[in-house]
Amino acid sequence: FFQYCLSGHPTLPCNILKFKSTTIMLDCGLDMTSTLNFLPLPLVQSPRLSNLPSWSLKDGNAYLDKELKECSGHVFVDSVPEFCLPETELIDMSTVDVILISNYHCMMALPYITEHTGFTGTVYATEPTLQIGRLLMEELVNFIERVPKAQSASLWKNKDVQRLLPSPLKDAVEVSTWRRCYSMQEVNSALSKIQLVGYSQKIELFGAVQVTPLSSGYALGSSNWVIQSHYEKVSYVSGSSLLTTHPQPMDQASLKNSDVLLLTGLTQIPTANPDGMVGEFCSNLALTVRNGGNVLVPCYPSGVIYDLLECLYQYIDSAGLSNVPFYFISPVANSSLEFSQIFAEWLCHNKQTKVYLPEPPFPHAELIQTNKLKHYPSIHGDFSNDFRQPCVVFTGHPSLRFGDVVHFLELWGKSSLNTVIFTEPDFSYLDALAPYQPLAMKCIYCPIDTRLNFIQVSKLLKEVQPLHVVCPEQYTQPPPTQSHRMDLMIDCQPPAMSYRRAEVLALPFKRRYEKIEIMPELADSLVPMEIKPGISLATVSAVLHTKDNKHVLQPPPRSTQPTSGKKRKRVSDDIPDCKVLKPLLSGSIPVEQFVQTLEKHGFSDIKVEDTAKGHIVLLQEAETLIQIEEDSTHIICDNDEMLRVRLRDLVLKFLQKF
Amino acid sequence: MGSHGGTVVKNSAANPEFGSSNLPAAPWKPHGGAGQDVGRSCILVSVAGKNVMLDCGMHMGFNDDRRFPDFSYITQNGRLTDFLDCVIISHFHLDHCGALPYFSEMVGYDGPIYMTPPTQAICPILLEDYRKIAVDKKGEANFFTSQMIKDCMKKVVAVHLHQTVQVDDELEIKAYYAGHVLGAAMFQIKVGSESVVYTGDYNMTPDRHLGAAWIDRCRPNLLITESTYATTIRDSKRCRERDFLKKVHETVERGGKVLIPVFALGRAQELCILLETFWERMNLKAPIYFSTGLTEKANHYYKLFITWTNQKIRKTFVQRNMFEFKHIKAFDRAFADNPGPMLEVKMQVEYMSFSAHADAKGIMQLIGQAEPEHVLLVHGEAKKMEFLKQKIEQEFRVNCYMPANGETVTLPTSPSIPVGISLGLLKREMAQGMLPDAKRPRLLQGTLIMKDSNFRLVSSEQALKELGLAEHQLRFTCRVHLHDARKEQETVMRVYSHLKSILKDHCVQHLPDGSVTVESILIQAAAHSEDPGTKVLLVSWTYQDEELGSYLTSLLKKGLPQAPS
């Protein structure tokens, strides 16, 4: 039972679990914070970005000129943005049997793993995870491919060069493994390896292990996973939420009785209350629009945006925003809005009830119908004709390095009337904005992260009571910026085991039992005897068959017929197999009764002597001596097999066999 | 949409056996004992002591008591809630769910009722529609009310495809996709290692809006399958569709009207898609109407439950939702009141079947997928079922049953007993089982400890330890006399080489203290107290080594081979 930790990002995990005879990858998160080191990809030629000064090392060596640009004191790589992949050297990926995906944000590295590492297994995910995950990948590929960039910088990655660069480039980890985005072809191939599963579906892996996805309450189709055999249970909790938003509530009960609970994907902003953030989001949005400014909301095309649109649906009329256009711009905007309406089974109870009426579960259907919300694949095409200001624009990517958001920042950045509101918690908003400085636009930070906070975690752990908790090291100490907040860490007994990228953990399992099946014919032949009240025993002598990791006990074969006389008998045929052991014995021998039994069976001239620990029974005529003590009997006799066997059987009558 | 009485499948843990019997309609007796009629599905299954009712259909052909199953058959006295562990509804057709409010609210049942979300959504609408026709239009009394439908639906628990629903600690159910109509499901009912699969109505070939039924190789003890089209191998659907479109087209071309009486949900959508695509391809302009009410509402359900339709519709729904029809509009009643060509008297009547049931080929296919031990046919006509029964028994070599209404079929099962084996014992056995020269099957020795329902197989040593019992060691020491005048050490050497040469597969050792061991058997030599030409070998072993010890003494008794010197 080992855990290989391939990602250091606590909310974009990638772990491999060796559980019994199976190798299971848990999530396949892609760390996209690496893109913050790159210059944005503008959709429309941006004179500002293309005229940024080059940055070079102080020694006057100019070879980095083409790769590095400076903006307001920060240095950026001028290149196709690259992502930080999970560790692929720690373990041979071709040995991975299955990959379990917990939610659509945690599968973005899938094409790198399934297409380029020798992986040949199956990926399990729920239908919404697959469909929305596909949309996220499609959007990502589209954002990057539609702005072709000739340059792919690599000189700066040289270790000797990198350590001379300013922060944060200097401190970037594993830069040599950073990769460019995959292609749509790779996405399709990777997703074709996914097998769809439903909540509480029991999936058998090689007969040895059963995996089950459970609702985690965080996103459409998001799941926690239980990985168990008959006697061991690991719960993998990743990206869970106890708040009531649109997804089905979290299933906590099924996580009980775990030997190990692997805890990842907690909230990234433990100090922010999501409800308060939504309120701030709405009021800032209204304020800006009323003053004639535009609002830009950098976001993913699925997830929190559904909740924001629902809040706005209730809010816009009362806030007098009925005539303000809301735009949702993404190559997958339409698909995302449509898909959200057909996953009734994965939604919270209130939304499910709507479908039974039948009405669309999300009110954004009505916003679209009434023309309050319009969606476009990109700023090109229809959008430029319809575009009216002031307006509210939802668009990606939240990293502000690619996608239509880059255009809006360049367009609106110079006016303090406009506001950019950050709701996605994945990227530091200051880092995200760095290549746009100086910026006149107002910036509001309202991160909405519905995942578990530390108070909820401690309640959850009390509820499900795992024997051991394993988590990323970040959760075992307070955040570096708030080192005094001892409440912002996991507190449990025994203390959580922590892991970091590229580490291998031995999981604390004490495996003692395995399931085996006793075939009915054998079961019929067993003779149970009651040893203590309520406890019965039966000695079992059976043949073990093991196939596909399943163990079965069958009755022993009937003793084989003696071989026919023609066949030459070899000496070795008579030698007994020393590995067939007789059962163990227990009990004690009452001397008086034993002597009586001997007499009854024709022994005479019996003499009994007392010793320190018991008795010696002497059969003088047979020159035989039987030492009887509490826990042992020793028969010492001449080589008279008949006699010995008779005595043996008389002794056995007084003992129990095990 | 045929169906018939009910079937009971019983199984008790104490006396492991399956039973099956058909629930008869109230005063109605099976005709000629055949009992396989068309009209109502209601089956009672007992698996290892758990009682499950499969479907709760009503008979469309009756207007009196006979339309509902006779639930007093299940339990004479005593509440249904106490007897039944759960009720499962396979799909929303009334011959599978029409008696549900009667059953739960009028007879009285408060336990869980399981169905898929589309069934849960559509079922109450059909029940209400049916109630309206029976009560408001036909004026029937003693019928369930709207409130009863609502109360009944509150007892429903939604089951998602492939989700394992734990009804209680022992009973679990799992739904599989069945095609047939939106939300139709097959159900696996499982208790321990024993299971039954009930197909409901299903379709093994995908159609224009639904996918094909699918089940994994779950090897149930019993498969209960519908057999509506038991002997039919239906002609290609394309031909039937072409025929249908041709007839419609011809009628419209010559200025006529076409009336297609069809059930609002299910086939209506299939035909709408068929007509819609045809209209588009042929660029036809004639209006297509569907009667308002149910069908329009139904199309909304299809749009929202698109994940339950077939691959193609699911894939393209973002570009175009197949249930948003361009040519098909809701019918306005004002049209009907218009005098004129609308009230055509001379009408041609054509009959065409588009019903989505598995045909004989499909049924065989499903049996092949699930690999059941026994098959039970329901929902068909006796003669046709008999033919199919023979075919199934021939091809799959499994027993096939076709019970009459009210008849019980009992199937014995012999479940294996799962126990926990201690890892130490298992590993020891597996390691030795791996030996290449395992000529005879290895025997595993252990002790089964049974405490309440907890069964554990452990090594004998562990069993003793756990019970706090001491081992009683039984040891034998035999004196073997050998004629040998040499020194004891030399005798021992001779014994050692002799045993070494014979017992090649055993561990024979000559220890520094002058003794010889064979495995754990100890052999020592001593001088004879009286005869210097005789040596005494003391062979000592415990009861566990009984066979080897016994063998050694008889071997040594034969004496040693002459020394080569």
Side-chain angles (χ1 to χ4, degrees):
Chain A
F1 296 90
F2 288 98
Q3 184 190 336
Y4 295 73
C5 313
L6 311 186
S7 159
H9 196 300
T11 26
L12 297 167
C14 184
N15 288 293
I16 286 179
L17 191 65
K18 286 219 174 210
F19 187 81
K20 296 195 76 177
S21 48
T22 55
T23 304
I24 302 170
M25 181 183 278
L26 301 168
D27 278 331
C28 208
L30 183 62
D31 188 349
M32 291 200 244
T33 52
S34 57
T35 60
L36 294 176
N37 296 296
F38 293 79
L39 272 190
L41 295 178
L43 269 179
V44 178
Q45 173 70 18
S46 157
R48 186 188 71 85
L49 284 172
S50 43
N51 292 331
L52 287 175
S54 297
W55 187 90
S56 49
L57 288 168
K58 286 194 185 76
D59 63 7
N61 209 334
Y63 59 90
L64 283 170
D65 273 11
K66 287 207 173 78
E67 296 199 345
L68 301 177
K69 294 272 161 43
E70 191 173 350
C71 176
S72 302
H74 286 84
V75 178
F76 297 94
V77 182
D78 186 12
S79 161
V80 184
E82 293 178 336
F83 307 118
C84 180
L85 270 55
E87 197 70 45
T88 50
E89 300 299 310
L90 199 58
I91 186 169
D92 178 3
M93 293 291 168
S94 66
T95 63
V96 174
D97 299 308
V98 295
I99 301 179
L100 309 180
I101 302 294
S102 59
N103 63 66
Y104 46 73
H105 285 301
C106 292
M107 61 186 278
M108 297 299 278
L110 204 55
Y112 295 115
I113 301 296
T114 60
E115 304 311 298
H116 301 291
T117 60
F119 169 81
T120 55
T122 309
V123 185
Y124 290 99
T126 63
E127 181 162 13
T129 301
L130 165 65
Q131 300 299 0
I132 297 173
R134 180 194 297 279
L135 297 182
L136 292 181
M137 289 180 177
E138 214 177 295
E139 188 192 60
L140 189 66
V141 172
N142 187 300
F143 280 165
I144 288 179
E145 285 187 352
R146 74 185 182 189
V147 191
K149 187 146 189 154
Q151 172 150 281
S152 187
S154 60
L155 291 174
W156 71 277
K157 289 184 182 177
N158 185 314
K159 271 202 176 104
D160 295 329
V161 177
Q162 198 202 346
R163 67 187 160 83
L164 301 173
L165 301 180
S167 280
L169 279 178
K170 185 174 69 179
D171 310 318
V173 290
E174 311 275 350
V175 289
S176 60
T177 65
W178 289 12
R179 290 286 173 275
R180 308 169 61 153
C181 190
Y182 31 73
S183 68
M184 214 43 221
Q185 194 191 346
E186 288 166 312
V187 169
N188 287 330
S189 171
L191 297 184
S192 71
K193 297 177 171 78
I194 292 185
Q195 197 160 320
L196 296 182
V197 293
Y199 288 151
S200 303
Q201 179 176 347
K202 294 176 177 173
I203 303 134
E204 294 281 341
L205 303 182
F206 318 110
V209 177
Q210 195 183 60
V211 295
T212 306
L214 304 170
S215 177
S216 78
Y218 165 60
L220 267 175
S222 70
S223 15
N224 292 321
W225 289 85
V226 166
I227 300 119
Q228 62 189 335
S229 66
H230 287 279
Y231 292 93
E232 298 87 19
K233 178 171 174 178
V234 175
S235 289
Y236 174 53
V237 174
S238 163
S240 299
S241 177
L242 293 170
L243 300 179
T244 317
T245 57
H246 58 274
Q248 214 184 93
M250 177 180 179
D251 178 353
Q252 294 183 61
S254 309
L255 301 173
K256 284 183 182 170
N257 301 321
S258 304
D259 297 291
V260 170
L261 186 135
L262 172 53
L263 187 62
T264 65
L266 303 184
T267 176
Q268 301 186 77
I269 323 287
T271 48
N273 167 8
D275 282 335
M277 289 295 135
V278 171
E280 249 178 71
F281 168 81
C282 287
S283 56
N284 278 296
L285 182 145
L287 191 69
T288 304
V289 175
R290 272 194 223 114
N291 291 334
N294 299 294
V295 176
L296 177 62
V297 187
C299 63
Y300 292 113
S302 177
V304 175
I305 187 173
Y306 302 144
D307 300 314
L308 291 178
L309 289 175
E310 184 154 3
C311 285
L312 290 171
Y313 168 80
Q314 292 157 356
Y315 183 73
I316 46 180
D317 287 331
S318 65
L321 301 174
S322 317
N323 296 316
V324 178
F326 286 77
Y327 301 118
F328 175 18
I329 302 169
S330 160
V332 298
N334 184 30
S335 301
S336 165
L337 293 169
E338 289 287 338
F339 269 115
S340 68
Q341 306 287 19
I342 65 155
F343 290 130
E345 299 160 55
W346 310 89
L347 293 173
C348 64
H349 181 73
N350 278 345
K351 296 218 172 318
Q352 278 191 24
T353 334
K354 280 198 154 184
V355 178
Y356 291 165
L357 292 176
E359 278 173 20
F362 284 98
H364 54 238
E366 201 184 315
L367 288 175
I368 295 167
Q369 221 167 32
T370 54
N371 263 329
K372 286 176 180 155
L373 173 67
K374 293 186 171 189
H375 53 84
Y376 303 89
S378 87
I379 52 166
H380 301 299
D382 289 347
F383 176 71
S384 35
N385 303 326
D386 299 353
F387 184 42
R388 280 191 298 123
Q389 301 189 69
C391 65
V392 179
V393 170
F394 293 88
T395 190
H397 186 272
S399 66
L400 310 189
R401 292 302 178 271
F402 36 80
D404 302 85
V405 73
V406 176
H407 176 73
F408 285 101
L409 276 168
E410 294 287 331
L411 185 70
W412 291 342
K414 293 167 214 84
S415 164
S416 59
L417 278 181
N418 301 324
T419 306
V420 53
I421 309 183
F422 292 90
T423 56
E424 301 288 356
D426 286 357
F427 301 92
S428 142
Y429 79 104
L430 289 173
D431 291 346
L433 284 172
Y436 298 94
Q437 300 292 0
L439 201 66
M441 194 178 192
K442 251 189 296 191
C443 302
I444 304 290
Y445 184 52
C446 297
I448 299 168
D449 196 332
T450 57
R451 286 171 282 206
L452 297 176
N453 62 35
F454 290 101
I455 299 167
Q456 292 163 332
V457 165
S458 79
K459 258 170 85 182
L460 174 76
L461 293 180
K462 250 180 217 142
E463 179 75 22
V464 306
Q465 301 222 330
L467 291 183
H468 299 276
V469 175
V470 176
C471 67
E473 60 173 351
Q474 290 93 332
Y475 296 158
T476 57
Q477 60 219 22
T481 50
Q482 290 157 297
S483 53
H484 62 289
R485 292 288 299 267
M486 296 306 284
D487 56 327
L488 300 184
M489 57 182 275
I490 291 178
D491 178 26
C492 64
Q493 277 310 320
M497 295 174 67
S498 70
Y499 66 83
R500 63 172 76 180
R501 188 179 167 110
E503 239 175 32
V504 181
L505 281 189
L507 295 180
F509 272 103
K510 286 203 185 80
R511 225 152 72 77
R512 290 173 52 204
Y513 285 94
E514 179 78 89
K515 190 189 163 191
I516 196 166
E517 297 217 343
I518 297 184
M519 295 310 281
E521 311 87 73
L522 176 64
D524 285 346
S525 72
L526 297 181
V527 190
M529 60 182 174
E530 195 167 25
I531 295 287
K532 288 178 179 176
I535 302 178
S536 300
L537 293 187
T539 53
V540 177
S541 181
V543 179
L544 173 70
H545 287 274
T546 298
K547 197 182 166 192
D548 299 336
N549 289 319
K550 286 202 158 76
H551 310 292
V552 171
L553 282 182
Q554 288 183 337
R558 297 218 183 85
S559 52
T560 44
Q561 298 297 312
T563 43
S564 61
K566 278 181 192 170
K567 207 172 167 185
R568 217 181 130 238
K569 210 173 163 188
R570 284 178 306 174
V571 190
S572 64
D573 286 347
D574 291 338
I575 304 173
D577 183 354
C578 67
K579 286 176 197 98
V580 182
L581 293 177
K582 289 278 186 196
L584 291 183
L585 303 170
S586 180
S588 57
I589 300 185
V591 176
E592 273 179 42
Q593 283 176 45
F594 180 63
V595 170
Q596 283 165 17
T597 310
L598 286 175
E599 282 167 345
K600 217 192 284 171
H601 282 81
F603 291 97
S604 56
D605 202 10
I606 303 171
K607 207 175 136 195
V608 180
E609 286 173 14
D610 288 350
T611 65
K613 286 181 178 172
H615 310 274
I616 290 177
V617 178
L618 278 166
L619 306 177
Q620 292 174 323
E621 196 180 321
E623 285 189 54
T624 295
L625 186 145
I626 306 170
Q627 287 177 343
I628 298 177
E629 291 178 5
E630 180 67 27
D631 291 328
S632 68
T633 301
H634 193 170
I635 301 175
I636 302 159
C637 60
D638 270 339
N639 193 3
D640 179 348
E641 187 67 2
M642 288 271 286
L643 172 73
R644 189 187 67 82
V645 169
R646 270 177 75 201
L647 290 173
R648 177 194 75 189
D649 291 344
L650 290 178
V651 168
L652 286 177
K653 275 187 183 173
F654 290 92
L655 298 172
Q656 287 159 338
K657 290 181 185 177
F658 283 85
Chain B
M1 251 194 304
S3 118
H4 75 138
T7 312
V8 183
V9 185
K10 268 185 203 145
N11 190 314
S12 75
N15 177 20
E17 58 179 15
F18 274 109
S20 155
S21 92
N22 277 343
L23 272 194
W28 172 75
K29 292 269 181 282
H31 300 289
Q36 288 82 9
D37 78 313
V38 169
R40 177 185 355 87
S41 272
C42 188
I43 299 171
L44 190 65
V45 183
S46 299
V47 187
K50 298 284 173 185
N51 299 315
V52 178
M53 191 165 92
L54 303 168
D55 281 337
C56 190
M58 58 113 217
H59 201 301
M60 303 275 240
F62 293 113
N63 287 331
D64 51 26
D65 285 355
R66 288 175 294 176
R67 87 180 121 218
F68 296 135
D70 179 7
F71 295 111
S72 67
Y73 181 90
I74 298 179
T75 163
Q76 299 297 332
N77 14 331
R79 297 167 60 235
L80 286 170
T81 313
D82 298 334
F83 181 77
L84 290 175
D85 292 284
C86 74
V87 173
I88 293 171
I89 302 296
S90 65
H91 63 285
F92 62 62
H93 279 149
L94 290 173
D95 58 336
H96 291 258
C97 70
L100 202 54
Y102 169 78
F103 164 78
S104 74
E105 306 311 306
M106 297 174 78
V107 181
Y109 168 76
D110 298 319
I113 301 167
Y114 293 98
M115 51 180 86
T116 65
T119 309
Q120 190 186 1
I122 297 168
C123 176
I125 290 161
L126 294 185
L127 287 170
E128 180 57 29
D129 192 56
Y130 168 51
R131 192 199 66 82
K132 267 190 199 149
I133 291 166
V135 178
D136 299 353
K137 296 220 169 127
K138 294 187 188 160
E140 287 179 40
N142 197 24
F143 208 83
F144 52 77
T145 64
S146 293
Q147 189 56 43
M148 285 177 181
I149 298 176
K150 284 186 189 133
D151 292 341
C152 164
M153 292 311 290
K154 281 180 195 154
K155 297 169 185 170
V156 171
V157 182
V159 181
H160 306 298
L161 283 184
H162 302 162
Q163 173 193 12
T164 300
V165 177
Q166 211 71 47
V167 178
D168 58 35
D169 286 347
E170 290 154 340
L171 172 62
E172 57 181 51
I173 61 173
K174 180 177 177 182
Y176 292 93
Y177 191 77
H180 186 63
V181 289
L182 195 74
M186 307 187 278
F187 281 88
Q188 182 192 42
I189 300 111
K190 199 172 170 193
V191 182
S193 61
E194 292 169 54
S195 64
V196 173
V197 168
Y198 170 61
T199 65
D201 291 351
Y202 62 103
N203 190 4
M204 292 298 285
T205 45
D207 60 22
R208 278 171 192 273
H209 78 292
L210 296 171
W214 178 87
I215 195 161
D216 53 16
R217 187 169 298 135
C218 55
R219 298 195 173 103
N221 298 93
L222 176 68
L223 176 80
I224 305 174
T225 173
E226 67 137 329
S227 50
T228 314
Y229 291 128
T231 55
T232 326
I233 304 278
R234 284 191 293 173
D235 52 350
S236 111
K237 216 173 58 192
R238 284 192 181 282
C239 293
R240 266 177 298 139
E241 288 179 354
R242 207 166 39 229
D243 265 13
F244 169 77
L245 290 170
K246 202 175 137 205
K247 279 168 191 161
V248 171
H249 192 192
E250 281 168 6
T251 312
V252 172
E253 284 286 273
R254 59 171 187 261
K257 298 179 177 62
V258 183
L259 178 67
I260 309 164
V262 62
F263 208 61
L265 281 136
R267 291 307 93 193
Q269 283 69 30
E270 180 77 1
L271 292 179
C272 281
I273 293 175
L274 183 63
L275 289 169
E276 173 94 4
T277 27
F278 186 69
W279 250 238
E280 226 161 83
R281 202 174 71 223
M282 304 296 286
N283 205 12
L284 297 178
K285 294 284 174 273
I288 307 171
Y289 296 109
F290 51 78
S291 60
T292 41
L294 271 185
T295 317
E296 194 178 7
K297 205 172 179 184
N299 287 343
H300 282 293
Y301 283 114
Y302 279 80
K303 273 187 242 170
L304 293 172
F305 285 112
I306 211 109
T307 52
W308 288 77
T309 60
N310 69 26
Q311 195 89 35
K312 194 179 156 200
I313 292 187
R314 274 157 52 197
K315 256 194 158 160
T316 55
F317 93 102
V318 175
Q319 289 77 47
R320 176 164 181 207
N321 196 318
M322 279 310 280
F323 299 102
E324 273 163 19
F325 302 112
K326 283 183 197 151
H327 302 274
I328 306 173
K329 299 171 190 79
F331 186 78
D332 189 335
R333 266 184 194 277
F335 297 155
D337 297 337
N338 286 344
M342 201 62 202
L343 303 164
E344 199 75 49
V345 185
K346 279 182 284 175
M347 211 194 294
Q348 278 185 39
V349 180
E350 304 263 3
Y351 174 77
M352 298 194 76
S353 161
F354 281 94
S355 149
H357 289 274
D359 60 6
K361 201 174 130 200
I363 295 169
M364 300 298 276
Q365 217 178 320
L366 187 86
I367 296 172
Q369 276 182 15
E371 291 189 1
E373 273 172 32
H374 304 272
V375 175
L376 190 141
L377 300 178
V378 295
H379 205 289
E381 290 166 53
K383 267 189 189 165
K384 294 180 176 177
M385 282 160 76
E386 184 59 45
F387 173 81
L388 184 63
K389 172 175 146 56
Q390 280 172 15
K391 228 183 130 183
I392 290 169
E393 289 182 336
Q394 236 169 38
E395 186 155 325
F396 297 105
R397 310 220 166 272
V398 298
N399 292 325
C400 187
Y401 308 84
M402 33 181 287
N405 283 355
E407 190 187 321
T408 302
V409 173
T410 306
L411 304 175
T413 60
S414 50
S416 56
I417 297 166
V419 304
I421 182 169
S422 85
L423 214 58
L425 179 61
L426 182 67
K427 279 193 175 156
R428 194 170 78 192
E429 287 305 317
M430 300 244 306
Q432 289 176 347
M434 298 296 170
L435 295 178
D437 58 339
K439 285 171 214 153
R440 21 194 155 179
R442 280 204 27 79
L443 282 189
L444 175 145
Q445 308 283 348
T447 304
L448 188 63
I449 306 179
M450 292 163 276
K451 191 179 168 190
D452 305 322
S453 58
N454 179 7
F455 287 23
R456 289 176 304 125
L457 182 60
V458 299
S459 66
S460 307
E461 294 89 339
Q462 193 183 335
L464 281 175
K465 207 169 136 194
E466 276 188 31
L467 291 164
L469 298 175
E471 187 195 340
H472 189 104
Q473 210 182 56
L474 176 56
R475 179 168 275 282
F476 306 98
T477 300
C478 266
R479 294 184 288 263
V480 182
H481 297 264
L482 274 185
H483 292 288
D484 191 349
R486 275 168 273 214
K487 283 183 186 163
E488 282 122 57
Q489 292 95 315
E490 284 175 51
T491 312
V492 170
M493 245 346 262
R494 288 180 66 205
V495 169
Y496 171 70
S497 2
H498 179 50
L499 294 180
K500 185 95 183 156
S501 70
I502 290 181
L503 301 166
K504 291 207 173 66
D505 292 339
H506 292 71
C507 172
V508 183
Q509 282 179 298
H510 189 187
L511 300 183
D513 68 357
S515 57
V516 170
T517 59
V518 179
E519 304 292 344
S520 58
I521 294 169
L522 183 72
I523 303 169
Q524 286 168 311
H528 197 275
S529 51
E530 293 150 21
D531 180 3
T534 300
K535 296 283 172 301
V536 181
L537 290 179
L538 293 171
V539 185
S540 182
W541 70 95
T542 66
Y543 177 62
Q544 272 68 48
D545 292 318
E546 172 71 1
E547 283 178 43
L548 188 59
S550 167
Y551 169 78
L552 279 183
T553 49
S554 58
L555 181 70
L556 290 172
K557 201 175 178 180
K558 290 177 196 156
L560 297 174
Q562 282 306 306
S565 65

